[in-house]
């Protein structure tokens, strides 16, 4: 009999009346059963977070930092156990799951560091005008209130960390909703926070079903919403609460540009291997995975066969096997959707150079060329192990091709030309430009987010803390400046 995992209500374990099964997308085995909070328990968590908000904002920085340091340390100690859990519930190859745990370790460590230095006073003398003589403005940042963090399935630990850690660092209570497909990794964070001295009510982790979210989103006691997920759901949330502060990370269709100067064999081998790895590394289920390759005509014919060979060399199979590069998608429905998009593109004239087959929830790493511009896979985020390769003439056409998308999250540009790097930074309508590598690079302390339909606001510990807080000015009068 599999034990039912409790959730975390105001810092304490609790169970509801119902539960649901978490199963492996690889083989369908039962990974765990998770208790579902009742409506009354959800209300209890919200009320506790709202009641503790002033106390938590005033909690000394060293207390919050110590809690965050503790979680970071304990995650590192339990790396292998947690990586196996991520792999089991998500289908992510265990070698990538280990990397995810390592990133979460860093997120909580960064948050501990920021907690110690955040909220420092910014002093501004006001006697630059006659009416301000003897006056000084002191500006500090204070939490906007309770944060509702809504996390996705693709990074079930680290993206929960990106909701929880900045909130605690900033002194904002948080209610975390992990994805229904992958709640166990998020609940681990609760296991570790429960070992700390944070005030009761300052955090809860509630695996509520998606249909329960509208009531939480609408609750006026939760003035900040941090959401990572689909464009459709994210903008529906924002539209439903126009007076709330929303941070939305909504994905993209990441482009990797290979310019003409990136032309020697060593360059092209590097580019091809990086592209192949990071179009498939989470089964393609990453907002910044490589979906589009845009190659200058002068290198296209030499690059394309290298990409195909590197994609075909990806090891697919059991995600618990350390040799596996590409595991299943999160569900068979997800794999069927990817299959339908590829079939649609091929039916419209695209050429299939690798992959294009499905086995249950697994979809083979796939390469397409000559994809019609109006094909779904050319316009939308595929969120699967599929990439398209496009030939362009020159830098301007390459940059225009990147921008010819409703999304704008990150782009990679393979070039050695420093001037081209700065031109890319100016021209590309994205939240981040990565030179010499794929768009899939993300450092967890840097600002991360997009423009256009890729969302609003920024993640990255310090930048999320800015989103969760506001400036408050104190004017001191009668000073001898």
């Amino acid at each position: 009999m599999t034990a039912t995992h409790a959730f975390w209500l105001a810092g304490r374990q609790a169970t509801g009346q119902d539960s649901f099964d978490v199963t492996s997308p690889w083989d369908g085995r039962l990974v765990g059963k998770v208790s579902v909070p009742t409506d009354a328990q959800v209300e209890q968590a919200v009320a506790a977070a709202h009641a503790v908000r002033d106390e938590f904002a005033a909690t000394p920085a060293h207390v919050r930092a110590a809690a965050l340091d503790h979680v970071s340390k304990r995650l590192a100690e339990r790396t292998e156990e947690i990586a196996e859990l991520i792999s089991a519930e998500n289908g992510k190859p265990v070698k990538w799951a280990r990397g995810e745990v390592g990133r979460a370790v860093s997120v909580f460590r960064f948050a501990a560091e920021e907690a110690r230095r955040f909220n420092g006073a910014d002093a501004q003398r006001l006697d630059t005008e006659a009416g301000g003589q003897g006056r000084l403005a002191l500006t500090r940042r204070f939490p906007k209130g309770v944060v509702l963090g809504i996390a996705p399935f693709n990074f079930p630990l680290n993206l929960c960390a990106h909701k929880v850690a900045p909130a605690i660092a900033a002194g904002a209570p948080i209610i975390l909703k992990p994805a229904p497909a992958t709640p166990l990794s998020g609940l681990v964070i609760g296991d570790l926070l429960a070992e700390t001295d944070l005030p009761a009510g300052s955090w809860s982790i509630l695996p509520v079903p998606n249909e329960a979210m509208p009531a939480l989103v609408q609750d006026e006691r939760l003035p900040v919403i941090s959401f990572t997920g689909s464009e459709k759901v994210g903008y529906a949330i924002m539209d439903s609460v126009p007076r709330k502060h929303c941070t939305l990370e909504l994905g993209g269709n990441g482009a990797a540009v290979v310019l003409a100067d990136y032309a020697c064999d060593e360059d092209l081998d590097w580019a091809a291997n990086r592209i192949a790895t990071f179009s498939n590394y989470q089964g393609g289920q990453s907002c910044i995975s490589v979906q589009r390759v845009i190659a200058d005509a002068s290198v296209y014919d030499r690059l394309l066969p290298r990409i195909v060979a590197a994609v075909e060399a990806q090891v697919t199979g059991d995600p618990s096997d350390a040799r596996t590069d590409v595991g299943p998608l999160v569900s068979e429905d997800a794999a069927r959707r990817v299959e339908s998009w590829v079939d649609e593109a091929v039916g419209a004239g695209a050429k299939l150079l690798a992959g294009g087959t499905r086995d249950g929830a697994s979809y083979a790493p796939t390469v397409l060329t000559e994809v019609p511009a109006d094909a779904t896979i050319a316009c939308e985020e595929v969120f699967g192990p599929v990439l398209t390769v496009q030939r362009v003439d020159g830098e301007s056409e390459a940059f225009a091709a990147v921008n010819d998308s409703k999304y704008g999250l990150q782009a990679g540009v393979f070039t050695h030309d420093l001037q081209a790097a700065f031109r890319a930074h100016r021209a590309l309508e994205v939240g981040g430009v990565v030179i010499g590598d794929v768009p899939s690079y993300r450092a967890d302390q840097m600002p991360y987010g997009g423009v256009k339909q890729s969302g609003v606001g920024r993640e990255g510990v310090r930048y999320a803390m800015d989103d969760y807080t506001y400036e408050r000015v104190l004017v001191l009068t009668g000073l001898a400046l």
Side-chain angles (χ1 to χ4, degrees):
M1 179 72 70
T2 301
T4 299
H5 293 261
F7 51 87
W8 291 96
L9 195 167
R12 296 180 180 274
Q13 284 190 314
T15 56
Q17 297 173 347
D18 298 320
S19 64
F20 64 93
D21 293 344
V22 179
T23 58
S24 165
W26 168 247
D27 56 15
R29 67 183 172 89
L30 180 66
V31 179
K33 299 177 76 68
V34 175
S35 187
V36 179
T38 64
D39 291 346
Q41 288 170 322
V42 172
E43 166 59 27
Q44 184 181 345
V46 173
H50 182 69
V52 82
R53 67 193 188 284
D54 290 339
E55 176 189 347
F56 194 42
T59 300
H62 73 87
V63 174
R64 288 179 278 115
L68 293 161
D69 274 330
H70 175 82
V71 175
S72 177
K73 178 183 177 182
R74 295 285 285 128
L75 285 171
E77 291 171 350
R78 295 175 59 181
T79 292
E80 195 61 27
E81 168 203 346
I82 298 171
E84 290 174 0
L85 178 64
I86 292 170
S87 183
E89 69 172 347
N90 172 276
K92 180 177 300 192
V94 71
K95 69 177 184 180
W96 293 114
R98 293 187 184 110
E100 180 175 348
V101 179
R103 288 180 62 188
V105 169
S106 296
V107 168
F108 278 96
R109 187 182 73 251
F110 294 147
E113 295 166 357
E114 292 294 350
R116 292 184 171 98
R117 59 176 169 248
F118 189 70
N119 215 20
D122 175 27
Q124 181 182 22
R125 61 187 304 158
L126 301 178
D127 62 354
T128 53
E129 297 290 338
Q133 187 169 336
R135 296 178 186 265
L136 180 76
L138 192 68
T139 304
R140 296 171 59 195
R141 299 192 70 90
F142 292 86
K144 294 173 179 174
V146 184
V147 177
L148 173 61
I150 307 170
F153 69 81
N154 56 327
F155 288 86
L157 177 71
N158 196 43
L159 291 182
C160 285
H162 270 287
K163 308 301 181 191
V164 173
I168 292 173
I174 181 161
I175 293 176
L176 174 70
K177 178 202 175 299
T182 55
L184 299 174
S185 301
L187 291 173
V188 166
I189 294 175
D191 296 345
L192 307 184
L193 286 173
E195 299 169 354
T196 72
D197 296 324
L198 294 177
S202 59
W203 60 274
S204 292
I205 301 176
L206 305 179
V208 296
N210 289 339
E211 54 267 27
M213 285 311 299
L216 274 172
V217 166
Q218 294 288 336
D219 197 307
E220 293 182 357
R221 295 168 294 178
L222 308 177
V224 179
I225 298 174
S226 178
F227 172 85
T228 301
S230 73
E231 171 195 355
K232 178 180 178 181
V233 175
Y235 282 118
I237 288 173
M238 176 176 277
D239 291 344
S240 72
V241 285
R243 291 177 177 82
K244 288 194 178 190
H245 179 88
C246 294
T247 297
L248 306 178
E249 199 280 277
L250 306 179
N253 53 3
V257 175
V258 184
L259 294 180
D261 70 289
Y262 219 78
C264 72
D265 288 342
E266 183 179 359
D267 286 344
L268 295 177
D269 287 342
W270 162 259
N273 284 316
R274 296 294 285 179
I275 287 166
T277 297
F278 288 96
S279 65
N280 297 292
Y281 73 124
Q282 311 284 339
Q285 298 170 123
S286 167
C287 301
I288 45 176
S289 65
V290 183
Q291 183 171 332
R292 299 182 292 153
V293 179
I294 299 165
D296 189 88
S298 64
V299 299
Y300 179 92
D301 289 333
R302 295 167 56 218
L303 176 65
L304 180 58
R306 286 175 161 87
I307 291 174
V308 172
V311 167
E312 291 179 334
Q314 296 287 301
V315 178
T316 62
D318 185 346
S320 67
D321 188 331
R323 297 167 296 180
T324 298
D325 299 312
V326 187
L329 276 69
V330 72
S331 68
E332 186 166 343
D333 284 346
R336 288 184 183 278
R337 177 190 55 76
V338 173
E339 178 182 44
S340 71
W341 287 14
V342 171
D343 290 349
E344 175 201 50
V346 172
K351 291 185 177 180
L352 179 66
L353 302 185
T357 59
R358 182 183 64 81
D359 181 7
S362 297
Y363 196 80
T366 297
V367 181
L368 297 167
T369 61
E370 300 181 26
V371 177
D374 60 351
T376 303
I377 212 162
C379 304
E380 302 292 339
E381 180 180 40
V382 65
F383 228 58
V386 180
L387 64 86
T388 66
V389 188
Q390 175 182 356
R391 184 198 304 262
V392 293
D393 291 315
E395 177 186 298
S396 295
E397 189 173 324
F399 292 170
V402 174
N403 291 339
D404 186 20
S405 170
K406 67 179 181 177
Y407 297 111
L409 188 47
Q410 292 199 162
V413 181
F414 289 91
T415 182
H416 297 296
D417 185 340
L418 185 60
Q419 293 296 329
F422 277 95
R423 288 193 296 269
H425 195 210
R426 177 178 292 276
L428 297 180
E429 299 166 352
V430 294
V433 178
V434 183
I435 301 300
D437 207 349
V438 291
S440 316
Y441 175 78
R442 177 184 180 183
D444 291 287
Q445 72 271 39
M446 75 182 192
Y448 174 76
V451 297
K452 300 193 284 189
Q453 300 302 303
S454 286
V456 295
R458 290 294 180 269
E459 293 185 343
V461 176
R462 172 57 194 266
Y463 304 92
M465 291 168 71
D466 286 342
D467 260 341
Y468 295 169
T469 58
Y470 69 98
E471 294 172 318
R472 186 186 297 168
V473 178
L474 174 68
V475 177
L476 302 174
T477 304
L479 303 178
L481 297 175

